[in-house]
Amino acid sequence: METTVLAPIDWLVISAMLGFSLLIGFLVKDQASEGGVEGFFTAGRKMKWWLLGTSIVATTFASDTPLAITGWIAKYGIAGNWFWWGGVLGSVAMTVFFARKWRTSGVVTDVELTELRYGGPAAAALRSVKAFINATLVNCIILGWVFAGMSKISESFMDWQWLLGNSVYSALEAVYPDVLLFGSFDNTLTIALLVSITLTYSALGGMRAVIITDLVQFVLAMGMSVLLTVLAVSHLGGLEAMWGGLAQLYPADGSAVSLAGDPYLTHERIAAFVPDFGEGIVGSLGIPFSAFVLTLGVMWWSSGTVDGSGFMAQRLYTAKDGGEAEKGALWYSFANFMLRSWPWAIAGVAALVIFPRPDVDLAAAQFTQCLQVEAACTEPMRECLDNRYQCSIPEYTLLYREFDATGQEVFVEDRERGYPALIRELLPAGLMGLMLASLMAAFMSTVSTHINWGASYLANDFYARFINQQASEKQLTRVSRLATLLIAVMAIVVASTVKNIGSMWELYGGMMAGLGLPHLMRWLWWRANAWTEIAGMLTGFSLALANYVVGQQGLYPAGQMSIFPAFMANHAIHVICWISLVAALASVTATFATAPVDPGLLREFVRRTRPMGLWKNYAEGFAPERSFVQSLKYFALAGVSIYAGMFGVGYMLRLQTWLGLGLLALCVVCLVLVIRGMGQIDADH
């Protein structure tokens, strides 16, 4: 029989994981049908902190995440993780200021809060527009990125032609529309299968099935990530040998260069936790220092997700009570940054030693020459080109084909593929299948969240609100399941056509920048009204869309990289921050130019959520569980705790033991203070 990468036991393990996910949907199907839209999308509001917090972590752990981090480490060093480490502050802010409020508000979706907070026709229009944007554009951007990551993983392993046979495979390939291809047909079959299973258990079991499968999927994905990292380090002889090998391959004098003469990162830059800045610096994040400062000082609070809006809020209002929501958010913050960072970071470093960049660069040149000159091909190279599943050249896994400026097909190094290359090189039969199953689980966890999240808007904020307000629970459950199917189909169609994810994320970032301040104002200041959000949203959307369209048409004036003058913006972060500033001015102006919210609505909102901040006499009798000043203290303590713990683990892995232990001690002390302070609220009530 023709050989392939995966052994029969690997296929069996993968099938078992997929079957388990389906089983969960059927087991909780009847419970999901209880309570109509609210029961379907909030899991009956009975979830404990560890379950909902783990579900949020699982959702943000997509299959593309370890690949992206592996690529960042090759290009920027460990400091490349600051692309997401800066999110600590936003995560902590969501935890201490808003997590309880989402649960006590009693809403089913975050956009439903607009009518609870403001009331009137303007709030109803705002609710419907935000629901449509979140259900369609936001979902499709995110899922497009996630699908692309799963494609890179599956293409080295999932040999569907071997599994299905030539006749069945060819018949399916002939009828499948090319417009919906995700790279190769093998990748497409893998994604289609995973999305179909995810859709099934999400539609049957609703949020309850999503959260339960998230828990199992996260434990599997995290456990296998740690195992792969341990095996990679052991393969190199331990941590000391890994760092030593890194120093030999990428010396401090910068003498390691590509065939084109471009320098690779030195081992010092690869291991550094603090980034370099400026143009032309090898290992810099590609951003000026001002943009990095804005990331930590502005970006986290100027985004529309600063208060947890979106799928995070959806998890928070599944909590048993406000205390469970807050503890779940805190657990997510620690698990997301402190636990997840290092298995992927160390695996990325190990990949640079196991698959040295000079070797991969040479392999790319040799395979390119093989494409152009038949005599340059060796037998193993021909085998790789004919069937990647039988390829015996490890470096080939890190290559992909593209067309250069002259239209000639060439092979190029892709360090993101270093992660699946480690799987293929280091894991034996059985464990390889388990590792792939874990990455599929991570993929399904993210997809299930966004399918369920998008469907909640269509069912709760369109159908139940505007189309049929008298719908029965049975009708609402049926509509919820149909909405789940609609969102899944829409995501596949749109995601398969997205070509430039980076530009789409910049568009989305600019749009969300218009909602950061309005989302804070609605929780912290009585004077905010629906026009506060409308002005911010329209300004942010208009500026972001104009910047995107002008850029796509190549119409920026000479010397500019955006619609803003060069002296104002020379990086995308600058652009997003300027959009947030203009939108903030528009929001404040609109607030004072329009009438305040009806006092009765304000008092009801305060009664239900007990918000912090400036609420005049509307807060009489409804004081917040914790003052704004107290929350600021816990915000600072939790932020210090997470960063200290994260870097404490990092220094331990870099064999700087005493510094690592000191930071971990600081982490524990701050964490104890935060947990005791937060727990006192529930003890007093």
Side-chain angles (χ1 to χ4, degrees), residues 308-617:
S309 292
F311 67 84
M312 288 190 185
Q314 189 184 31
R315 295 300 194 279
L316 297 176
Y317 34 72
T318 67
K320 182 179 179 181
D321 54 44
E324 293 294 307
E326 190 168 69
K327 286 184 285 188
L330 183 64
W331 162 238
Y332 154 71
S333 298
F334 273 86
N336 187 55
F337 297 101
M338 189 172 165
L339 299 185
R340 289 198 328 175
S341 295
W342 295 108
W344 299 332
I346 298 302
V349 172
L352 286 170
V353 182
I354 296 173
F355 306 106
R357 297 201 67 179
D359 293 357
V360 178
D361 191 31
L362 178 61
Q366 291 173 337
F367 272 100
T368 297
Q369 188 178 17
C370 174
L371 287 177
Q372 299 165 1
V373 182
E374 175 63 25
C377 297
T378 64
E379 190 59 36
M381 292 171 69
R382 291 191 184 94
E383 187 178 62
C384 292
L385 293 175
D386 291 340
N387 189 335
R388 62 180 176 271
Y389 304 112
Q390 298 182 45
C391 181
S392 60
I393 301 176
E395 290 78 14
Y396 186 74
T397 309
L398 286 84
L399 304 180
Y400 75 99
R401 298 191 196 193
E402 69 172 14
F403 292 96
D404 64 14
T406 65
Q408 189 175 53
E409 193 171 22
V410 297
F411 277 93
V412 180
E413 177 192 39
D414 181 1
R415 290 309 304 194
E416 289 189 356
R417 298 170 193 250
Y419 199 79
L422 287 176
I423 298 172
R424 182 163 174 164
E425 184 73 10
L426 300 178
L427 297 185
L431 281 182
M432 186 181 294
L434 193 59
M435 186 70 205
L436 287 174
S438 75
L439 291 171
M440 290 178 180
F443 171 83
M444 294 166 67
S445 172
T446 302
V447 172
S448 65
T449 286
H450 287 280
I451 288 176
N452 187 278
W453 178 48
S456 69
Y457 292 126
L458 297 184
N460 184 67
D461 300 299
F462 279 102
Y463 184 81
R465 172 63 181 87
F466 296 107
I467 298 176
N468 187 359
Q469 296 183 2
Q470 306 302 319
S472 66
E473 289 186 359
K474 186 174 182 180
Q475 287 176 308
L476 291 173
T477 302
R478 186 183 305 119
V479 169
S480 300
R481 287 177 170 145
L482 289 174
T484 302
L485 173 61
L486 178 61
I487 290 296
V489 172
M490 187 184 306
I492 290 174
V493 172
V494 176
S496 65
T497 65
V498 173
K499 302 302 180 185
N500 190 333
I501 298 294
S503 62
M504 293 299 290
W505 268 113
E506 289 179 19
L507 169 62
Y508 171 63
M511 291 168 55
M512 291 297 101
L515 285 170
L517 184 62
H519 280 181
L520 291 175
M521 290 169 66
R522 70 184 179 185
W523 291 106
L524 301 175
W525 189 30
W526 71 273
R527 189 61 177 80
N529 58 33
W531 292 104
T532 305
E533 288 196 40
I534 291 172
M537 182 177 69
L538 290 179
T539 303
F541 184 88
S542 300
L543 290 175
L545 185 61
N547 188 67
Y548 175 79
V549 172
V550 172
Q552 293 297 303
Q553 299 298 318
L555 300 177
Y556 291 143
Q560 292 184 202
M561 52 77 62
S562 71
I563 58 176
F564 296 101
F567 72 89
M568 294 174 63
N570 59 13
H571 190 274
I573 290 175
H574 293 148
V575 176
I576 293 174
C577 286
W578 279 114
I579 291 175
S580 69
L581 177 60
V582 176
L585 291 173
S587 295
V588 173
T589 301
T591 301
F592 285 111
T594 53
V597 175
D598 177 81
L601 284 171
L602 284 173
R603 195 157 183 81
E604 173 61 17
F605 178 77
V606 171
R607 183 191 69 80
R608 289 176 64 169
T609 64
R610 300 171 68 183
M612 309 171 201
L614 306 173
W615 290 92
K616 292 181 64 176
N617 58 330

Side-chain angles (χ1 to χ4, degrees), residues 25 28-45 108 199-211 314 318 451-453 455-456 459 473 476-485:
V28 303
K29 175 177 177 292
D30 291 338
Q31 289 175 295
S33 300
E34 298 173 358
V37 165
E38 182 167 355
F40 190 84
F41 291 116
T42 67
R45 304 192 195 272
V108 176
L199 172 62
T200 301
Y201 74 71
S202 299
L204 288 174
M207 180 53 69
R208 192 183 304 272
V210 171
I211 290 179
Q314 189 184 31
T318 67
I451 288 176
N452 187 278
W453 178 48
S456 69
E473 289 186 359
L476 291 173
T477 302
R478 186 183 305 119
V479 169
S480 300
R481 287 177 170 145
L482 289 174
T484 302
L485 173 61

Side-chain angles (χ1 to χ4, degrees), residues 643-654:
Y643 276 125
M646 191 170 69
F647 290 120
V649 173
Y651 281 113
M652 294 287 288
L653 292 169
R654 256 182 30 181

Side-chain angles (χ1 to χ4, degrees), residues 258-301:
S258 69
L259 293 177
D262 299 321
Y264 299 127
L265 265 67
T266 66
H267 70 95
E268 295 168 328
R269 285 311 321 152
I270 294 171
F273 299 163
V274 180
D276 273 330
F277 302 98
E279 297 180 2
I281 299 177
V282 178
S284 71
L285 291 186
I287 63 176
F289 183 70
S290 60
F292 183 71
V293 171
L294 288 171
T295 299
L296 294 178
V298 177
M299 289 281 286
W300 66 269
W301 64 262

